[in-house]
Amino acid sequence: MKIGKPEVIILSLGLLICTILGLIGLWAMLRPDIFIAREPQIPQKLRFPLNPGEERRATAYVVGGGATQFSSTAEGGSVNYRLKLDDGHSGSVLTETTLEVGQSGTLRPRHGTLYEWSWLNRSSRPASITLNLKGDFDLVRQTRKDAR
């Protein structure tokens, strides 16, 4: 079978287009933030009571390559506080302490990561918990669990 000049031109153009699209795809995988238009996230403030023996958790997905500032305070009682991350491969506790004043920091994950804050009221008095988040995060969810 003989290939003519029009077929060679069409085949060459097809290969060139596939190569260009492959390079664009590789570039997009290496720099996905270029194609994602992020709107500035509205700061969120969670405030809730924590009765003696009660545990509460809040989770937020922090966007990879971004930064999220957080601060957590407890008023009225001594509260066990924990901040941990779950990046899909391994989970680890970043902070575990008794929260009597406050805890704050900035989260800067390389990849999208789920962070969980938890508070457990071990005192005999009710406490009031506040969590402030500002930056590149997507969702915040609260759960409640009573201690046994």
Side-chain angles (χ1 to χ4, degrees):
M1 180 161 105
K2 190 173 183 182
I3 298 177
K5 190 173 185 177
E7 289 86 9
V8 170
I9 292 172
I10 291 172
L11 183 62
S12 297
L13 282 174
L15 287 172
L16 180 64
I17 291 170
C18 286
T19 302
I20 290 171
L21 290 176
L23 290 172
I24 290 172
L26 180 64
W27 181 66
M29 285 176 35
L30 296 175
R31 294 292 313 262
D33 56 322
I34 290 173
F35 294 102
I36 300 172
R38 288 194 210 133
E39 295 180 17
Q41 181 68 305
I42 298 170
Q44 286 199 8
K45 181 177 187 175
L46 301 175
R47 186 166 173 85
F48 50 88
L50 195 63
N51 294 318
E54 183 181 15
E55 179 179 11
R56 288 256 187 130
R57 296 178 184 185
T59 56
Y61 179 80
V62 179
V63 178
T68 296
Q69 294 93 25
F70 72 93
S71 66
S72 175
T73 58
E75 298 171 5
S78 181
V79 174
N80 289 4
Y81 165 82
R82 180 186 329 188
L83 170 60
K84 71 178 194 173
L85 70 88
D86 181 8
D87 62 0
H89 304 290
S90 63
S92 59
V93 175
L94 301 176
T95 303
E96 190 164 15
T97 186
T98 300
L99 189 64
E100 293 177 349
V101 179
Q103 185 80 22
S104 64
T106 301
L107 306 171
R108 298 179 197 275
R110 291 173 55 190
H111 307 286
T113 303
L114 189 66
Y115 288 89
E116 178 185 84
W117 291 263
S118 63
W119 304 267
L120 173 61
N121 188 352
R122 294 262 187 212
S123 69
S124 59
R125 301 183 324 239
S128 178
I129 304 297
T130 303
L131 175 65
N132 293 299
L133 294 172
K134 180 182 176 185
D136 297 316
F137 62 93
D138 281 335
L139 64 100
V140 174
R141 183 184 51 172
Q142 280 189 66
T143 59
R144 171 186 257 166
K145 180 180 174 186
D146 292 325
R148 294 178 185 160

